[in-house]
Each structure stands twice: as C-alpha cells, then as structure tokens.
Amino acid sequence: QKEVEQNSGPLSVPEGAIASLNCTYSDRGSQSFFWYRQYSGKSPELIMSIYSNGDKEDGRFTAQLNKASQYVSLLIRDSQPSDSATYLCAVKDFGNEKLTFGTGTRLTIIP
Amino acid sequence: NAGVMQNPRHLVRRRGQEARLRCSPMKGHSHVYWYRQLPEEGLKFMVYLQKENIIDESGMPKERFSAEFPKEGPSILRIQQVVRGDSAAYFCASSPRGTGGAGEQYFGPGTRLTVT
C-alpha cells in the first residue's frame, strides 16, 4: 500500500528562521508532488507543486524533490507567525488522479 | 468568486438519516474529487468524477456512500443511514485536467458533518 510519511511535529521555529518540512513516499511510480497548508478548521490550500528532481522556488517557499531517495521537502524562508499551520505532503501517480496525503506536520512559528 | 464551492458548510444529522453534500467545481474545471478527513487523521481519497462519469471510486466505502456529477448542477456525495463514525470533514477538490496530467487540485471549504 502506498505510503506518504511525514513527521507529525509539532515543529517549532523562531520567527525569521528557515522552516524545513520533510516527506518520504514509498511508491517509485509517484510522479507529481504537492505541498498544501491547512489552518486549523480550514481547508487545504495548495502552496507548491513539483514534478522534476531539483528545487522549485516560489517567493519564500522552496520545494525540493529527490526521486532516487523518494524524498520531497518544503523550505519556508523568513518564517512568519502566519505560517503556523499544518503542512500536508501529497503525491500522485502518472495516470492516477487521486492524491495520497501524509498525515501532516504541525508547524509553529515562535515570535 | 471562482473558487470551489461546497454546501452546506455544516451539517448535523441524526443516526439513520441521509446526508447530501454538494460541490461546484472552479470555473473551467471539469474534474471533481471527494476526500474525507476524520478527526486527527489525514485526508483520504474517496472518489473521482467527471461529468456523468465515476472514474475512480476506490476510496468509497462499499455501502451507504454514493457520488454523482450530473451533466447539469453540482456534484453530490450522498451518505445514507449515517452513523456516528461518518462524522468528519468532507472536502471537494477540482482540477482542470485529468488522466496523464499533473492536475493540481484545489480544495473547497469543506462540509463538516456531525452525526448525533
């Protein structure tokens, strides 16, 4: 059974520092990778998608993908208190539309 | 607002009643997905639909649950004879592309179902 693993946290990071969130997946057939942010009581919000090995940057966010190691990460630079949320990693196989989610990492930014 | 719309946002049902959850995809999107999030658990895929077709229902419980996406109108997730274990947040997502594409999925606000 396909698994997506995340450290549940909580991960505490001082304001202004870099937050690093990690995710591993078990299925080598996984082709697309997504990071969602979910505030308590709210719906998941897409932050980043990445499909190729390497880094992808968007503002303060950088997604990193290493398919050989089956590892995807999200870096948040200059962390802000508003970044405090649960971050969900999701993977999708080519030709299969469903997302498989990890259980999420709870991130707290300390002012 | 061109986002994914879901209603109702909160739904309370007594055990044995039926629950109907509605989802309208983003403008221009023709693919709809339903996910369930149980308290303190991750999001779990339930079903993937296109207009008038169920494409993948591998995550749907075998009994009491059904979904449709008619030619006209919203997608509907129906839960018959609800039980307390059905209490959860039900999220709908939509995407503009289907099989073979990267297909980013965008989520609606969710329906929080409480079974009493």
Side-chain angles (χ1 to χ4, degrees):
Chain A
Q1 183 169 341
K2 186 187 306 182
E3 291 185 349
V4 178
E5 300 285 344
Q6 294 182 256
N7 187 325
S8 62
L11 175 65
S12 296
V13 173
E15 183 176 355
I18 296 175
S20 178
L21 304 162
N22 304 316
C23 172
T24 59
Y25 58 96
S26 62
D27 189 347
R28 286 194 174 274
S30 298
Q31 293 282 328
S32 305
F33 306 87
F34 306 90
W35 283 100
Y36 286 85
R37 177 175 62 197
Q38 187 174 28
Y39 293 113
S40 180
K42 302 296 184 182
S43 63
E45 174 190 7
L46 180 64
I47 298 176
M48 294 280 290
S49 57
I50 186 166
Y51 315 113
S52 303
N53 279 326
D55 295 359
K56 179 181 177 183
E57 186 174 316
D58 184 0
R60 295 187 297 113
F61 299 97
T62 299
Q64 299 174 318
L65 175 61
N66 184 326
K67 289 188 177 181
S69 301
Q70 295 176 240
Y71 175 95
V72 58
S73 65
L74 179 70
L75 302 177
I76 307 174
R77 289 181 299 282
D78 188 23
S79 297
Q80 303 297 310
S82 59
D83 295 327
S84 297
T86 295
Y87 288 79
L88 304 172
C89 173
V91 304
K92 187 158 76 78
D93 295 345
F94 183 82
N96 186 340
E97 292 306 303
K98 64 183 177 185
L99 293 175
T100 300
F101 282 86
T103 52
T105 298
R106 189 153 44 100
L107 173 66
T108 299
I109 305 301
I110 303 169
Chain B
N1 187 341
V4 179
M5 297 175 63
Q6 290 188 250
N7 66 81
R9 298 288 297 275
H10 300 273
L11 182 61
V12 179
R13 285 287 178 266
R14 292 196 181 96
R15 279 179 297 169
Q17 291 185 320
E18 178 178 287
R20 285 195 181 196
L21 289 60
R22 296 174 188 80
C23 169
S24 296
M26 285 179 71
K27 188 175 182 180
H29 288 191
S30 57
H31 304 275
V32 166
Y33 315 81
W34 287 92
Y35 293 83
R36 177 167 64 174
Q37 189 170 39
L38 293 166
E40 304 305 322
E41 292 189 18
L43 277 160
K44 303 292 185 186
F45 169 81
M46 299 181 75
V47 62
Y48 161 43
L49 310 103
Q50 297 177 20
K51 284 286 187 181
E52 300 185 279
N53 284 299
I54 297 174
I55 308 301
D56 181 355
E57 56 182 346
S58 59
M60 287 279 271
K62 299 300 182 190
E63 299 178 348
R64 302 187 297 108
F65 286 72
S66 63
E68 63 177 4
F69 189 13
K71 185 177 181 180
E72 301 291 338
S75 175
I76 295 175
L77 179 68
R78 183 182 292 112
I79 311 172
Q80 297 177 305
Q81 300 175 334
V82 296
V83 301
R84 287 203 173 127
D86 296 332
S87 295
Y90 292 82
F91 292 101
C92 170
S94 72
S95 75
R97 287 195 283 175
T99 301
E104 297 173 345
Q105 296 180 18
Y106 298 88
F107 282 76
T111 294
R112 275 131 185 101
L113 172 66
T114 302
V115 179
T116 62

